[in-house]
Amino acid sequence: MGREFVEIFDEWVHTYDDSVSGKDEEYKDVFLKYNEILQAVADAASEPVIEFGVGTGNLTEKLLERGLQVVGIEPNQAMRKVTAEKMADLKVIDGDFLEFEAGISPQSFVSSYAFHHLTDTEKAQAFQLYADQLPRGGKVIFADTVFVSERAKQEIIAFEQNRGHLNLVEDLNREYYTTVPKLEELITKAGFTVKLSKMNNYVFLIEATKI
């Protein structure tokens, strides 16, 4: 359920904000229009909000700027510490996409750059879980790397390999990046309508609304 990647963020916690701001050339295309992507997620959310993978709190800040009630879920202790220092009043709980005790009845689930830590089977389980907790019209709004096809995924991996972006290639091969058709299938099967909007060459905005 993504917990196998938790320790990676012990290292990322020190460099993540530099990467998302475009200072890391290797990940520059992944985080292109980063603030616009986060704002799109925040703008689509309604309170109460449960945010998965709070990280360093960049999406959280945009949610709070809108005055929304937010409970954060973050499995990495170092990331929780960073967020606590930035936003002392924010409630951040140790949990993940499949196991969490937020203590609220959410209107929205949100996340950015994290859902790929789940296998496709776990993604399907997650949406079934969210369907059980959301009211009709409730939303799941995720921004994440998704590929239009498996072929497109392999082509971009080869492209990044040729560019010498070996850390990015390792990430793309190790984690569970899915395809648009597969994601649409598992979301609709869970009882949602879904809209995917391409934000950059890697990231789609995923808006799922419970029927």
Side-chain angles (χ1 to χ4, degrees):
M1 60 188 66
R3 288 276 180 166
E4 63 267 37
F5 301 110
V6 168
E7 293 182 0
I8 293 173
F9 289 91
D10 289 338
E11 302 174 13
W12 269 76
V13 70
H14 304 293
T15 61
Y16 188 77
D17 284 341
D18 283 343
S19 294
V20 301
S21 65
K23 294 179 182 178
D24 186 338
E25 187 65 32
E26 185 165 2
Y27 289 87
K28 194 168 186 177
D29 288 349
V30 178
F31 293 111
L32 186 67
K33 300 197 293 186
Y34 178 71
N35 284 321
E36 180 181 330
I37 291 168
L38 297 192
Q39 193 63 58
V41 175
D43 287 346
S46 300
E47 65 177 356
V49 183
I50 292 177
E51 179 188 355
F52 296 111
V54 169
T56 57
N58 297 324
L59 173 57
T60 320
E61 288 182 324
K62 293 188 180 298
L63 293 164
L64 294 176
E65 284 170 3
R66 288 197 55 218
L68 301 178
Q69 177 190 357
V70 182
V71 174
I73 309 293
E74 172 56 58
N76 182 273
Q77 184 177 5
M79 288 289 193
R80 290 198 304 273
K81 181 179 179 182
V82 168
T83 306
E85 290 171 353
K86 291 171 69 174
M87 292 165 279
D89 294 334
L90 178 69
K91 184 179 182 181
V92 182
I93 298 165
D94 181 5
D96 55 57
F97 284 101
L98 288 170
E99 294 187 359
F100 57 93
E101 293 290 342
I104 62 171
S105 297
Q107 182 69 31
S108 305
F109 290 104
V110 302
S111 182
S112 60
Y113 290 84
F115 199 48
H116 58 270
H117 295 147
L118 273 62
T119 66
D120 283 349
T121 298
E122 290 170 337
K123 289 183 180 75
Q125 292 171 352
F127 268 90
Q128 292 290 346
L129 178 62
Y130 308 154
D132 290 341
Q133 296 198 26
L134 287 170
R136 180 177 296 180
K139 288 190 174 184
V140 180
I141 310 112
F142 289 170
D144 199 32
T145 294
V146 184
F147 295 98
V148 295
S149 66
E150 186 60 33
R151 179 178 178 178
K153 176 181 176 180
Q154 296 307 318
E155 287 175 348
I156 203 163
I157 288 174
F159 173 71
E160 297 294 0
Q161 181 83 39
N162 289 335
R163 296 173 82 189
H165 293 169
L166 302 186
N167 290 323
L168 176 54
V169 168
E170 182 181 0
D171 290 342
L172 293 173
N173 281 319
R174 176 183 56 212
E175 302 185 25
Y176 308 120
Y177 297 98
T178 195
T179 64
V180 167
K182 183 63 179 178
L183 190 59
E184 289 177 330
E185 176 189 351
L186 67 86
I187 292 175
T188 55
K189 187 176 180 180
F192 293 84
T193 61
V194 60
K195 176 185 176 184
L196 276 77
S197 306
K198 191 172 183 179
M199 303 300 288
N200 63 33
N201 286 337
Y202 282 88
V203 175
F204 279 81
L205 178 68
I206 304 154
E207 296 182 77
T209 305
K210 184 179 175 181
I211 300 172

